[in-house]
Amino acid sequence: MAHSILPSRYRVPSKLIESIALTDSGEELCKRLMRIRNFKWPEVRLACFLKFSHHELLVDHNKTDLTELISALNEEIEAGKILHPFIWGRELYDKAFEVFQHDPVSVDELQTAELLEGTPRGVWQSADVTTGPLGIIFSQEMRALIPIVEIPLYHCEKRTCRTVHRTYLATTDSQIHKTRAKLREILEKEWEPPSAFPEFFTDIDNEICDYYGDQRCLGEIPLLGECFSSEELDAIITIALKGKGAPLRLALRENSINVGDPQAFIEGLDKAGKIQALILMKSKQLTTCIDEAVHTKQIKIPAHEIRRPKILDISTGFYNLSAECSRYGVRTMPEDRSLAVVRLRRLIVSIYDLSDPSCRSELGWRLRRIDGESVEEKLDRYVRNADPADVLSNLVLVGPTSFSAAADRCGVPRTMELERLEDAELVNILLWKLGFSLKDAEDAFGPLRRNRDAFSQAVGAITAYSESERYEIKRESSPLFSSIESALDATLSFTAWALTFDHWSAQSRFTYYHADAREQMAKVLNSAQARPTATVEAVIYDSQGRNTLFPLISGFSRLRAYLANVLAHADQYLRPESEMPSYATHADLTPFAFTHTLPFLSLSKEAQQEIIELLSEMTRVLEGGQVSSIRNKLQHSRDDFPSKDELNRFLESVGKFLEIAEGSGLCPVLFRPVGHHRDASGRSSYSFSDYRSREHVIHRPSSIGNTGMPGLLKEQFIIPVAKVSKSTEVLRFSVGTHSTYNELWQDWPRYRATADRRSELMHPTDEAAQAG
């Protein structure tokens, strides 16, 4: 009631105050209010109740009939006389964009009513009491998420600003508001200073809501509202209702809501109702249901996608915990990510009971090569210095009992068939739940390297070119050439897209989607400038990926010709002044980098020349190794089986191509953040590592302005050879994924204007702030 939006001329019904019992202090305060002004009795008593305490309690909590009070309040909410905004999603954000012509920095009562009309009833929770479309009902989990009226509602006109700004939803100046204002005035002027009741109540809230814990957080609610589609919420509810003893069935039954047909129940709920129903469960039950939906592919989350709320990514508790979800399920993340190490140590200690001599002896044996005078000291040193994945492999994945205990403590659903998973996947599940970055077994050209090694072994085993030896070579050639085509397609598409697509003007700046990159590659190579001379065979590139070895290999020389032509006509690609940020012509200290619509033209001359030479070298290497010819000889019924020397030259050319593509970054190699250092002068270095443990370091501050490239605490694709002009910066790209989550935020953010203010000059250089 205290944090609600009221209609004009709202009057407190007598039923709402009949169940309220006040203390002597409360009664005295009510009489004082009545003597001052002609306030109505219901408003006076309710104002006293909402204040609740001063230097003494104003409400007699023992005599107040809480059941009747909740019933009366519920009637007011269901009648639409007391409103709470529904903010767990983009519904109000999108409606505000359509309703208001300008940024809604502030709105009046009429605008608030217009905004909320037709929107879902707000979902909130205090202690175990929830409110929403299902009415006021009780959760099995204690949470502290009281309603707010200052809500995140819009993006300002600055294109580089990613903050969702808040708007205060005004309520009418009703009689209850005037009464409350006068009550506060009396207490401030006439009564003694307030006592420590607020701190006392806060301590109680902290205890019952597990304020100092690190396993659950309020972030589950925005996670539900912003990160899952309506159909995905349905899948979670279906799992939560599965079986007579299902957790959601029990929670609903305790609120006198009996579910017969789960589908009929779901169809009767709007999005807000689905969220309210789900938060009736305990947090552990809720996350287990989400995890099961993810692991059974009812919610499909692709690799590299991490779902986080975009509007209200709240963090709560002593450790500022927020919630996020990946293909490994939900986890709670502390603001201080180093606490993952502390969690890991706690996990090991929970598995190896150090008070048990046998467990202590077993852990001591496993740590026998670690320096330290005690098992505890050895464990601390090992956890602090070793790779977390190695710690889990050596101390947890040593048997079914220890792993099962670890999985249970980390909240991994017992319904998962863990015994069917590879060790790398099991380690990744625990790494994710603890709060670490994932440890992928391979990346980028891993399959090509693996298939090349297998083929090389078959070639090395040749002694007499017998039928069995030829069969083995042909058998190993099929997966090899498949992975070669995939690698060539990825490299050609990525290079063409990275160097020729206008990333600055894109809706999702500097974000790589392979399908989009392939489409850009086909567009570029099929364009008039990219067409070969009359002496070279014409090729039409397919944007859907149906390109064989010959066009893929020749594509590198065609891309080289296209870029050389672009250099000769660079003025044609100058960015229009209307698309330039305003600081582009004013900030000589940190100038705008992408003055051309083609990123290739914004690179240094040395980088441009090196890239052109690398494209030529790729063509020479692939053609010199006769890759297309070897494939034709091996995969068709022909008598001219390649000689061992030809096969070795072919293998050597594939290896050289791999080194050129990966070393330059012209293929999509994913780099993960592995370290960060900052000195007293504010100079920072951010270290990244790829799947072969090759390092790339990015330094800050930068000599150029805001680039729009991904933040420096995220995994990303890095092109070391593509150095931006007049800086040490290189082209970098986020990992784009196609999923329902991506569709939910397809046109995000939404801007009413395109101007970039000159004040943005003070925000540009440290992209680590974009880590979210």
Side-chain angles (χ1 to χ4, degrees), residues 85 102 121 139 152 171 194 215 232 264 363 385 413 497 569 639 656 688 693 697 770:
H102 304 285
R121 192 180 302 171
S139 172
T171 188
Q215 297 299 302
E232 289 172 337
L363 182 58
N385 297 323
W497 171 84
H569 303 86
D639 295 331
K656 286 182 178 178
F688 295 81
S693 299
V697 180
Q770 303 173 23

Side-chain angles (χ1 to χ4, degrees), residues 456-509:
S456 179
Q457 289 178 9
V459 171
I462 292 176
T463 57
Y465 259 71
S466 63
E467 283 300 318
S468 62
E469 289 175 339
R470 291 189 180 203
Y471 172 79
E472 186 66 18
I473 290 173
K474 283 188 174 184
R475 189 175 70 85
E476 294 294 347
S477 71
S478 183
L480 173 60
F481 282 104
S482 176
S483 57
I484 288 176
E485 286 190 356
S486 296
L488 292 177
D489 174 65
T491 303
L492 184 60
S493 299
F494 180 72
T495 303
W497 171 84
L499 300 177
T500 68
F501 184 75
D502 186 4
H503 306 293
W504 171 263
S505 298
Q507 179 71 27
S508 298
R509 287 178 176 166

Side-chain angles (χ1 to χ4, degrees), residues 473-734:
I473 290 173
K474 283 188 174 184
R475 189 175 70 85
E476 294 294 347
S477 71
S478 183
L480 173 60
F481 282 104
S482 176
S483 57
I484 288 176
E485 286 190 356
S486 296
L488 292 177
D489 174 65
T491 303
L492 184 60
S493 299
F494 180 72
T495 303
W497 171 84
L499 300 177
T500 68
F501 184 75
D502 186 4
H503 306 293
W504 171 263
S505 298
Q507 179 71 27
S508 298
R509 287 178 176 166
F510 295 89
T511 302
Y512 171 68
Y513 296 91
H514 181 56
D516 296 346
R518 185 190 284 143
E519 186 175 335
Q520 176 70 6
M521 176 269 291
K523 176 183 176 182
V524 166
L525 298 188
N526 290 334
S527 67
Q529 295 92 330
R531 290 231 169 97
T533 63
T535 59
V536 180
E537 182 180 346
V539 175
I540 300 300
Y541 287 85
D542 181 60
S543 62
Q544 302 302 311
R546 295 183 289 267
N547 299 303
T548 56
L549 274 179
F550 174 75
L552 290 173
I553 291 173
S554 63
F556 294 101
S557 62
R558 296 167 196 263
L559 180 58
R560 176 198 176 281
Y562 177 86
L563 295 177
N565 183 67
V566 162
L567 279 178
H569 303 86
D571 289 347
Q572 296 179 12
Y573 302 96
L574 282 170
R575 187 177 301 281
E577 187 175 345
S578 60
E579 296 180 10
M580 300 276 267
S582 59
Y583 71 78
T585 56
H586 296 85
D588 58 346
L589 181 63
T590 54
F592 179 57
F594 299 105
T595 54
H596 292 79
T597 56
L598 267 64
F600 180 70
L601 296 174
S602 297
L603 305 182
S604 68
K605 293 187 181 301
E606 295 78 11
Q608 292 169 347
Q609 187 59 38
E610 186 176 359
I611 288 171
I612 286 176
E613 292 174 357
L614 286 171
L615 291 172
S616 296
E617 180 68 5
M618 286 180 180
T619 305
R620 187 191 66 78
V621 165
L622 293 169
E623 290 179 348
Q626 298 183 317
V627 175
S628 293
S629 176
I630 297 295
R631 194 275 306 271
N632 291 334
K633 291 179 180 180
L634 289 176
Q635 297 198 341
H636 298 103
S637 298
R638 293 169 52 161
D639 295 331
D640 54 342
F641 198 89
S643 68
K644 188 169 184 177
D645 286 342
E646 287 178 316
L647 292 175
N648 282 325
R649 283 197 298 272
F650 157 70
L651 285 169
E652 184 181 359
S653 71
V654 173
K656 286 182 178 178
F657 171 77
L658 279 169
E659 292 303 321
I660 294 170
E662 289 188 336
S664 63
L666 292 179
C667 67
V669 176
L670 194 64
F671 283 80
R672 294 174 175 81
V674 294
H676 168 221
H677 173 73
R678 186 182 182 94
D679 67 15
S681 298
R683 293 170 295 196
S684 300
S685 62
Y686 296 82
S687 300
F688 295 81
S689 178
D690 70 359
Y691 80 113
R692 295 181 65 199
S693 299
R694 291 179 298 189
E695 189 177 38
H696 182 84
V697 180
I698 297 174
H699 298 281
R700 288 291 181 269
S702 174
S703 58
I704 56 178
N706 194 314
T707 64
M709 289 193 277
L712 299 178
L713 301 181
K714 298 178 178 179
E715 61 180 20
Q716 53 197 275
F717 299 109
I718 299 176
I719 310 182
V721 72
K723 296 182 176 65
V724 178
S725 181
K726 300 178 182 178
S727 76
T728 59
E729 183 64 272
V730 300
L731 292 182
R732 301 179 286 109
F733 303 95
S734 298

